[in-house]
């Protein structure tokens, strides 16, 4: 167990935790993406407004599974580009800003559900230290995705 | 789960008393700025210190009792929480956004404990319950 003070989640340690945990969970990425998206649509029904063109929004539907995979591909990109998320997620930011026009408040909602999905699949590995690093990482991803909005 | 049949709100009430320290210590680790309200509690320097701090554990029991009160008064959490809301606003001076942070943390911890039994539907009902708790705690802020 580490004894680092809590305000020492400086770059190196935080990135190391994120990369290590991603390596552990990436084999289940598709399942995590599908579960997180399913939960988001059920628990926060206002998010369904972005998917009014889908036939089936129910948990585990084919469209939900496919889109969960798309989301996790984005997360994988973010992990790979963790040293410069703004540059690394530039085109994704443009997509969300100009084409999808997703209200950035929803990034927080999806992030929360990603943490729930991960906690369910990896209860022992999802320690408080990993939790804080994951939360911080997803917040940084959300910020990078919001860059091109205005 | 205890459920209010008219609102569909649910709370895993049997889970909370068994794990009183579920409540505050992870929140203090994941959102360290929440420690501002616990400066008199002793050593909160790192995650291990927080997890073994007896004052934090005792506070966890208080939080669970508070949630228990909400479970027992699911039809009108606002009324049941009037005094608690005044306490948090006028005496403790807690930013109400912290209630939402604690609710999110609690959800993640319970998800880890319950695993797949914490279905999306259960999560939705629990979220509804927690939203009621958060709103009730913030009601007496002026």
């Amino acid at each position: 167990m580490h004894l680092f003070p809590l305000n020492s989640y400086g770059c190196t340690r935080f990135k190391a935790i994120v990369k290590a945990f991603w390596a552990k969970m990436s084999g289940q990425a598709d399942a995590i993406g599908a579960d997180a998206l399913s939960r988001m649509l059920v628990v926060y029904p206002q998010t369904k407004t972005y998917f009014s063109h889908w036939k089936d929004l129910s948990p585990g539907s084919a469209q939900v599974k496919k889109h969960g995979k798309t989301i996790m591909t984005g997360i994988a990109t973010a992990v790979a580009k963790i040293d410069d998320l703004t540059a690394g997620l530039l085109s994704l930011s443009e997509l969300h800003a100009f084409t999808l026009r997703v209200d950035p408040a929803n990034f927080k909602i999806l992030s929360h559900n990603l943490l729930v999905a991960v906690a369910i699949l990896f209860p022992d590995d999802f320690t408080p230290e990993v939790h804080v690093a994951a939360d911080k990482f997803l917040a940084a991803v959300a910020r990078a995705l919001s860059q091109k909005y205005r | 789960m205890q459920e209010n049949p008219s609102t569909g709100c649910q709370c895993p009430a049997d889970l909370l008393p068994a794990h009183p320290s579920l409540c505050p210590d992870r929140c203090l680790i994941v959102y360290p700025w929440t420690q501002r309200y616990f400066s008199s509690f002793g050593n909160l320097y790192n995650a291990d210190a927080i997890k073994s701090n007896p004052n934090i554990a005792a506070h966890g029991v208080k939080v669970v009792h508070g949630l228990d009160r909400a479970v027992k008064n699911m039809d009108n959490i606002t009324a049941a929480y009037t005094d608690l809301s005044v306490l948090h606003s006028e005496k403790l001076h807690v930013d109400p956004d912290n209630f939402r942070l604690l609710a999110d943390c609690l959800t993640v911890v319970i998800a880890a404990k319950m695993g797949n039994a914490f279905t999306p539907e259960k999560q939705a009902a629990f979220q509804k319950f927690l939203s009621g708790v958060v709103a009730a705690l913030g009601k007496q802020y002026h």
Side-chain angles (χ1 to χ4, degrees):
Chain A
M1 281 211 229
H2 81 101
L3 293 170
F4 287 99
L6 286 170
N7 60 358
S8 81
Y9 273 84
C11 283
T12 317
R13 174 157 183 78
F14 148 71
K15 287 179 195 175
I17 295 174
V18 170
K19 285 181 179 164
F21 192 66
W22 176 257
K24 204 168 249 176
M25 60 166 267
S26 56
Q28 303 251 42
D30 290 353
I32 290 166
D35 192 32
L37 187 58
S38 297
R39 287 173 185 278
M40 185 184 82
L41 295 168
V42 169
V43 182
Y44 302 91
Q46 69 271 23
T47 59
K48 292 197 288 191
T49 54
Y50 291 98
F51 304 99
S52 51
H53 54 288
W54 281 6
K55 251 195 210 135
D56 186 359
L57 287 154
S58 59
S61 75
Q63 277 167 316
V64 167
K65 276 193 179 140
K66 181 165 176 257
H67 197 64
K69 217 170 168 174
T70 304
I71 291 170
M72 295 313 280
T73 305
I75 299 288
T77 303
V79 174
K81 308 279 181 170
I82 199 170
D83 290 322
D84 189 348
L85 285 171
T86 305
L89 299 181
L90 189 68
S91 52
L92 270 175
S93 181
E94 284 171 343
L95 173 73
H96 285 76
F98 305 130
T99 307
L100 303 174
R101 286 181 285 201
V102 176
D103 187 322
N106 293 289
F107 301 150
K108 218 175 207 174
I109 295 175
L110 179 58
S111 297
H112 172 69
N113 286 288
L114 280 165
L115 294 179
V116 169
V118 162
I120 285 173
L121 275 177
F122 296 93
D124 299 321
D125 297 300
F126 199 60
T127 60
E129 292 79 3
V130 170
H131 185 166
V132 65
D135 192 277
K136 191 174 156 166
F137 170 67
L138 289 173
V141 169
R143 266 197 309 277
L145 276 178
S146 311
Q147 282 292 314
K148 298 301 278 183
Y149 271 66
R150 54 177 174 175
Chain B
M1 284 267 195
Q2 276 179 240
E3 179 173 337
N4 180 317
S6 56
T7 62
C9 295
Q10 287 184 343
C11 178
D14 54 334
L15 188 69
L16 295 175
H19 300 276
S21 66
L22 280 181
C23 294
D25 63 350
R26 188 165 283 226
C27 199
L28 295 169
I29 294 167
V30 179
Y31 307 109
W33 55 91
T34 56
Q35 293 169 29
R36 74 189 304 279
Y37 302 108
F38 301 96
S39 48
S40 63
F41 275 44
N43 185 4
L44 300 176
Y45 190 57
N46 55 39
D48 291 332
I50 290 172
K51 282 185 262 196
S52 57
N53 185 310
N55 293 320
I56 295 294
H59 193 70
V61 175
K62 272 197 195 151
V63 172
V64 167
H65 287 160
L67 287 168
D68 207 46
R69 195 196 305 187
V71 169
K72 293 186 163 78
N73 295 278
M74 264 200 268
D75 277 335
N76 197 346
I77 302 177
T78 306
Y81 265 31
T82 306
D83 293 343
L84 264 178
S85 182
V86 169
L87 173 75
H88 283 77
S89 157
E90 292 178 17
K91 187 153 179 250
L92 304 175
H93 306 291
V94 178
D95 179 339
D97 195 55
N98 290 284
F99 308 144
R100 190 186 52 77
L101 296 180
L102 179 59
D104 283 352
C105 249
L106 188 57
T107 303
V108 171
V109 170
I110 281 182
K113 289 280 171 194
M114 288 181 70
N116 286 313
F118 195 56
T119 60
E121 292 71 28
K122 284 217 167 92
Q123 185 185 344
F126 188 47
Q127 181 62 32
K128 229 172 160 178
F129 165 73
L130 287 176
S131 299
V133 168
V134 168
L137 267 177
K139 194 83 182 168
Q140 300 301 326
Y141 278 69
H142 307 290

